[in-house]
Amino acid sequence: MKQLSIAVLPGDGIGPEVMDSALQVLQAVGTRIDRQFVTQHHPAGAQNYVDTGESLPESTLAACRAADAILFGAMGLPHVRGADGTEIIPQLDIRFALDLYAGVRPVRTWPGLPVPLSDPRATAIDLVLVRENTEGLFYARGRGVVEADAVYDTQKISRAGTTRIVDFALKLAEDRAKLGKPGKVTNVDKANVFASMAFWRQIFEERAKLHPSVQTENAYVDAMALNLVLKPWQYDVLVTENMFGDILSDLIASLVGGMGMAPSGDIGDHHGLFQPAHGTAPDIAGQGIANPTAMILSAAMMLDWLAIRQQDDALAVGARTIENAVQAAFVSQSVRPREFGGTSGTADITRAVLERL
């Protein structure tokens, strides 16, 4: 049986709870596709910072580098902050340390669950936001210039960084077109105001010419926020700067029911980290009511990524198996997450998915 090593970072709040669900599903799928996932837990997070003074131990980072893939729960606690007043959020440190430059945030509606938007076309929402993860305004983290009466955070947009994220999005659209999706990329920027964003758009248009089969268009981020509520079914792949992506990825999650339905991957050329897009939700931690779906679907994303890296079609079969089981659980109406008005807890949803694998 082929083995794959998975570094597991459960984190804070509901992170360990939803991680346990994902690992149950992952191990069950492994037996069905004849693959063994060797998982090892590693410390990191805001509580680890409180306990030890380290939010991301070097031993944990080394384990992430050595693993075939990384599964990440959720990290950060609102009351745990550094000297500059910002939260302790080691997921950003991992992105920079491993050069995980592509933040991939897919959302889709799920049969069996209510859709927040009333327009019947909203049942066809199926899009992916691709967020540049290592530059943009987030580049200023830890580099801010503090003066007596002002603080300056400077955005970075480089040719190299923009080229690789745009190419990633264009390739993703090509791959989606093969699956019957529109194969369209919408660039989201603020090129009418900022020179850095005009530069970003210039690079997008240059790279788009190298992918003639992909439909492309440009949009300003403020107009995109409006259109994502009015007509999200018109979009396929969005590509955008770090801060814009951070904001819009929460918006698109709301269109399909909330953050509990939103998986994500942070992907580089050599490493991949997969996590739910939601936070640690300390207000419900330990109550057994968190929706584990986003974490379970993040494990499926990990299998798809590993299938390509390992040239192993069985892993892609495993990903489809998980997605199909999640859909079957909701279609059956046997479970409904609380954010959809249901009463199902973490264990209920996990059990329903396991039963349908």
Side-chain angles (χ1 to χ4, degrees), residues 55-332:
S55 62
L56 181 63
E58 184 56 42
S59 59
T60 296
L61 190 55
C64 290
R65 287 195 174 98
D68 290 312
I70 307 159
L71 270 183
F72 189 101
M75 291 189 189
L77 295 170
H79 65 282
V80 180
R81 295 177 179 266
D84 63 354
T86 61
E87 281 193 43
I88 302 299
I89 38 179
Q91 55 266 46
L92 297 184
D93 298 319
I94 295 176
R95 287 176 193 165
F96 283 94
L98 302 185
D99 199 23
L100 306 176
Y101 61 85
V104 183
R105 310 290 192 262
V107 297
R108 52 164 289 198
T109 45
W110 291 86
L113 293 177
V115 180
L117 297 180
S118 61
D119 192 305
R121 290 173 291 182
T123 58
I125 295 172
D126 182 351
L127 63 90
V128 183
L129 186 146
V130 177
R131 166 190 177 187
E132 201 291 316
N133 259 351
T134 61
E135 296 189 342
L137 191 55
F138 276 68
Y139 180 80
R141 178 174 178 258
R143 297 182 172 93
V145 177
V146 181
E147 297 181 354
D149 297 309
V151 178
Y152 299 88
D153 287 324
T154 302
Q155 174 166 276
K156 175 185 177 182
I157 301 293
S158 74
R159 177 172 292 278
T162 306
T163 295
R164 66 183 183 176
I165 195 65
V166 166
D167 285 350
F168 187 101
L170 292 165
K171 175 62 166 58
L172 176 61
E174 289 175 337
D175 292 342
R176 284 171 63 84
K178 296 173 185 176
L179 300 174
K181 308 294 175 62
K184 175 182 175 182
V185 178
T186 304
N187 167 53
V188 183
D189 61 33
K190 195 63 178 171
N192 56 331
V193 176
F194 299 108
S196 60
M197 290 278 86
F199 182 53
W200 168 288
R201 180 175 290 201
Q202 173 191 331
I203 295 169
F204 173 78
E205 293 178 342
E206 289 173 358
R207 303 307 295 180
K209 292 176 182 177
L210 302 178
H211 299 263
S213 67
V214 178
Q215 305 173 58
T216 59
E217 63 180 0
N218 295 299
Y220 297 135
V221 65
D222 45 345
M224 178 55 64
L226 173 72
N227 287 331
L228 281 172
V229 175
L230 290 179
K231 48 185 179 181
W233 49 85
Q234 291 191 1
Y235 298 104
D236 184 30
V237 176
L238 311 178
V239 63
T240 191
E241 174 271 338
N242 209 337
M243 177 62 84
F244 294 161
D246 186 39
I247 296 167
L248 292 180
S249 61
D250 279 25
L251 189 156
I252 62 175
S254 73
L255 304 177
V256 299
M259 301 301 284
M261 303 300 297
S264 76
D266 293 333
I267 297 170
D269 292 334
H270 305 291
H271 304 281
L273 179 151
F274 301 87
Q275 62 173 325
H278 60 66
T280 57
D283 56 321
I284 63 169
Q287 299 178 40
I289 62 176
N291 180 1
T293 304
M295 184 76 246
I296 292 170
L297 293 174
S298 296
M301 286 184 68
M302 179 186 73
L303 294 186
D304 270 330
W305 180 77
L306 283 169
I308 296 171
R309 285 186 62 83
Q310 301 282 332
Q311 297 184 329
D312 186 351
D313 291 341
L315 297 171
V317 171
R320 300 292 78 71
T321 301
I322 292 174
E323 291 176 348
N324 292 339
V326 169
Q327 179 161 312
F330 293 136
V331 167
S332 73

